[in-house]
Amino acid sequence: MLPKNEICILNREIDIVRTPVKICHVAAEIAPIAKIGGLGDVVYGLARDTARRGHELAVVLPKYDILLEEDIAGLERLPGVFDVEFQSAVWSNTVWKGAVSGLQLFFIEPHHTSHYFNRGCIYGCDDDVERFLYFSKAASEFVRKELQPDVLHIHDWQTAIMAILARENSNAKILLTLHNLDYQGRCSPYELEKIGLDVAAYYNAGSMQDPVYPEALNLLLGGIRHADFVTTVSPTYAQEVQHSFLGNGLESIIKENAAKFRGILNGIDYEYWNPETDPLLPAHFGPRESSDAQKNQPTIASKGYVKRALRQHLLLEEAHRPIVGVICRLVPQKGVDLIRYAIEAVLEKGGQFVLLGSSPIPAINEEFYALKRRYGENPNVGIALQHKEVLAHLIYAGSDIFIVPSNFEPCGLTQMIALRYGTIPLVRQTGGLQDTIFDHDYGEPSPSKAQGYTFKDPTTEAFDAALTRAMSCWKHYHNVWRKIVLEGMEHDFSWKKPGEEYLKIYQGML
Ligand code: ADP
């Protein structure tokens, strides 16, 4: 039995988690209707988890022209407009309301002559800083007038300035999540004038002046200093950004704020990413060899059917070979050199290689288009250079091995999704990859947790050694492989535990 004082602490924690909180996320992305990468998945998954626990949730986003409107229930324009002062002029804005998977969403549509969110993209415009400063200012106004949350949860540099703007006009406690320190919103100090902030008050070493480029202002830094609490997306990355170059210039500032900083491992939404029910798959499968007739649950056998469908889709030949998959933004962070190297390495070892990716960097894009042409006729290579949700599901489910050779990775979701779909991850030991995937051959931290392959050095030799081990297990030890697959699918990377940790932070701030 627990000692009395520990029971008191436990009860207090349970009470904290149960008291309903009114939470508002403001972000640039949400899956699946406006998503580029993990940010969209995290906002969707975390908000849904908190809503399921009985808390009041709203998410505020820009009204992009590329929103997948057909996937938004009850999308409607709210009556009236509200005004925002920006660059010494007053602009009106319309708000749209709708729902995705039961989540209440609000979309802000500026009537600004620069058409900030009618650009056919989420990011990548020359005036991104201006676009998201406008959005942050408008969202602060809207949240104050209409939502009045207890907690305002903002994400990345795009909404970091709300830690200052919303503080001026609301009592909400503010939590900032850092999804990737590679993107900080460095800009001219005079950008602040556009949102009516006094440049002199914030452009100084104690506030938002960038420590690496002192002539610049750093929006993320402002968020870190002014938010009530700051999280990042895995415990290892939380250490890396304080103690290595991965802090990208902000390491000492994060260290100074360590008392209000924590790494919480992201989850994935287990309803959305579920091989037993996924509506985007041609067949369903689950973590079992056989099913009792009454329950009629899908077995692992149907994964083979999805593998065939993947081959047909990418025009690969039907053969007894493992499929090695990768899905990512093609940017240096993701280890594009090793991804390129992997094509030949996989072929040499008798496998098939599939890649789904897109790049915002023209030189990388061209390079991968050249690879696509070079392997165009090869029946063992499929390269799709696009952003396509349906194909992503088919690759997660139809592959045998999934590689994530990142140079750094704040958390990474693809390795967790792959594992849930019975596809064994092979990852570099960094950031969240290190917190989630453990090497089967070494059995650490415990054999039941070790359902993947890992390598440490970002070199072709280290990658190759791990790939050889994974592919030879697939080829020569069928029963061992099957066991790894089934046990890996049973891992719990849902939002259950991280969702609880976020709730404790929300309540703790209040
Ligand atoms: P990051 O946020 O750095 O891009 P994550 O691993 O955290 O990386 O999240 C990536 C998310 O984006 C996953 O849901 C993945 O399936 C998705 N994704 C990445 N590239 C593509 C693509 N080309 N098509 C479809 N989905 C993609």
Side-chain angles (χ1 to χ4, degrees):
M1 204 174 127
L2 283 173
K4 216 169 173 186
N5 58 343
E6 284 192 26
I7 293 176
C8 284
I9 292 167
L10 209 66
N11 284 343
R12 200 174 147 257
E13 288 200 346
I14 291 168
D15 284 346
I16 281 176
V17 172
R18 281 189 189 146
T19 313
V21 188
K22 202 171 169 188
I23 301 145
C24 174
H25 289 266
V26 185
E29 294 182 39
I30 190 165
I33 55 157
K35 163 177 158 179
I36 298 292
L39 170 63
D41 289 297
V42 171
V43 173
Y44 172 86
L46 175 59
R48 256 166 57 89
D49 178 83
T50 338
R52 266 193 231 113
R53 292 170 196 261
H55 301 275
E56 204 178 314
L57 255 294
V59 185
V60 180
L61 299 133
K63 172 93 170 47
Y64 300 109
D65 55 353
I66 48 123
L67 283 181
L68 300 180
E69 291 193 8
E70 64 278 15
D71 292 338
I72 307 173
L75 184 64
E76 59 168 345
R77 195 183 157 137
L78 298 183
V81 290
F82 76 96
D83 289 339
V84 167
E85 201 179 323
F86 192 73
Q87 278 179 309
S88 312
V90 175
W91 303 93
S92 60
N93 302 268
T94 304
V95 178
W96 295 70
K97 188 179 169 189
V100 167
S101 308
L103 270 182
Q104 184 172 224
L105 309 184
F106 294 95
F107 303 98
I108 295 178
E109 179 180 37
H111 300 189
H112 193 285
T113 44
S114 294
H115 305 289
Y116 288 130
F117 302 111
N118 295 334
R119 308 279 185 85
C121 64
I122 292 182
Y123 317 113
C125 305
D126 290 341
D127 59 351
D128 273 0
V129 165
E130 183 175 314
R131 294 167 72 222
F132 286 102
L133 282 178
Y134 183 97
F135 172 64
S136 296
K137 175 112 196 235
S140 301
E141 284 295 311
F142 174 69
V143 167
R144 175 182 68 85
K145 281 197 184 119
E146 304 295 335
L147 302 179
Q148 293 154 5
D150 303 319
V151 171
L152 181 64
H153 192 158
I154 53 181
H155 300 265
D156 277 350
W157 73 264
Q158 294 89 355
T159 52
I161 195 73
M162 289 182 75
I164 295 169
L165 293 175
R167 171 93 59 225
E168 284 183 348
N169 64 18
S170 96
N171 294 325
K173 294 293 175 190
I174 300 170
L175 171 62
L176 167 68
T177 297
L178 315 175
H179 295 260
N180 191 333
L181 269 288
D182 233 17
Y183 307 95
Q184 299 187 2
R186 290 192 173 101
C187 59
S188 155
Y190 296 99
E191 293 283 340
L192 285 186
E193 286 179 348
K194 296 178 178 168
I195 47 174
L197 291 182
D198 178 10
V199 175
Y202 292 102
Y203 178 51
N204 57 64
S207 187
M208 293 173 73
Q209 185 176 21
D210 190 86
V212 182
Y213 305 99
E215 67 286 2
L217 187 91
N218 186 316
L219 295 174
L220 197 66
L221 165 57
I224 293 170
R225 282 220 163 103
H226 292 269
D228 294 297
F229 207 87
V230 181
T231 61
T232 190
V233 290
S234 71
T236 294
Y237 190 59
Q239 290 304 314
E240 289 171 342
V241 296
Q242 293 178 77
H243 304 292
S244 77
F245 67 95
L246 292 179
N248 206 354
L250 297 189
E251 36 285 20
S252 59
I253 284 133
I254 298 176
K255 245 188 273 171
E256 277 163 27
N257 287 276
K260 60 167 190 177
F261 178 62
R262 191 178 308 166
I264 299 179
L265 192 68
N266 280 335
I268 55 172
D269 191 290
Y270 264 32
E271 260 178 48
Y272 184 77
W273 297 109
N274 184 353
E276 303 202 37
T277 54
D278 189 336
L280 301 182
L281 291 185
H284 294 135
F285 56 94
R288 60 194 74 82
E289 298 272 14
S290 60
S291 158
D292 87 45
Q294 272 143 20
K295 286 194 187 147
N296 201 19
Q297 291 165 310
T299 67
I300 192 66
S302 309
K303 186 170 162 72
Y305 181 86
V306 182
K307 186 170 175 179
R308 280 198 294 282
L310 172 61
R311 283 186 170 133
Q312 277 164 15
H313 187 91
L314 292 174
L315 306 176
L316 301 187
E317 86 182 352
E318 186 56 46
H320 181 67
R321 290 168 182 268
I323 297 182
V324 178
V326 54
I327 301 171
C328 66
R329 294 179 297 115
L330 292 166
V331 292
Q333 174 200 336
K334 301 291 178 183
V336 280
D337 292 346
L338 287 179
I339 293 173
R340 197 189 315 106
Y341 171 82
I343 304 177
E344 278 302 321
V346 167
L347 291 178
E348 211 176 86
K349 295 178 210 309
Q352 294 180 316
F353 179 89
V354 303
L355 159 72
L356 171 62
S358 59
S359 185
I361 301 167
I364 295 182
N365 228 356
E366 271 167 37
E367 189 187 332
F368 275 85
Y369 268 105
L371 288 172
K372 188 177 161 68
R373 282 193 296 276
R374 174 162 10 132
Y375 290 100
E377 299 298 314
N378 192 313
N380 294 314
V381 179
I383 297 179
L385 298 176
Q386 57 195 158
H387 196 279
K388 202 166 184 196
E389 191 70 10
V390 187
L391 183 53
H393 288 238
L394 200 56
I395 293 175
Y396 286 124
S399 303
D400 297 289
I401 297 168
F402 191 92
I403 59 167
V404 194
S406 305
N407 285 322
F408 74 94
E409 195 59 75
C411 177
L413 301 177
T414 59
Q415 79 281 10
M416 297 193 254
I417 303 171
L419 204 60
R420 175 119 167 109
Y421 282 73
T423 300
I424 299 307
L426 187 164
V427 308
R428 175 150 181 264
Q429 284 181 305
T430 177
L433 299 173
Q434 188 167 321
D435 293 335
T436 50
I437 303 301
F438 303 96
D439 198 294
H440 172 262
D441 290 344
Y442 303 120
E444 302 281 348
S446 70
S448 67
K449 271 195 155 186
Q451 271 91 36
Y453 291 87
T454 64
F455 64 101
K456 183 114 195 111
D457 298 331
T459 59
T460 52
E461 292 78 11
F463 172 76
D464 206 82
L467 186 67
T468 302
R469 289 189 292 117
M471 286 181 70
S472 73
C473 183
W474 183 91
K475 217 190 250 170
H476 303 298
Y477 303 99
H478 178 77
N479 289 341
V480 176
W481 189 262
R482 178 55 66 94
K483 190 165 173 286
I484 307 178
V485 166
L486 293 175
E487 288 183 1
M489 291 176 81
E490 299 277 22
H491 264 271
D492 187 359
F493 284 127
S494 71
W495 275 102
K496 202 166 146 217
K497 191 162 164 273
E500 211 152 279
E501 289 189 49
Y502 270 103
L503 261 179
K504 282 184 187 160
I505 291 176
Y506 295 154
Q507 291 282 16
M509 289 191 301
L510 294 170

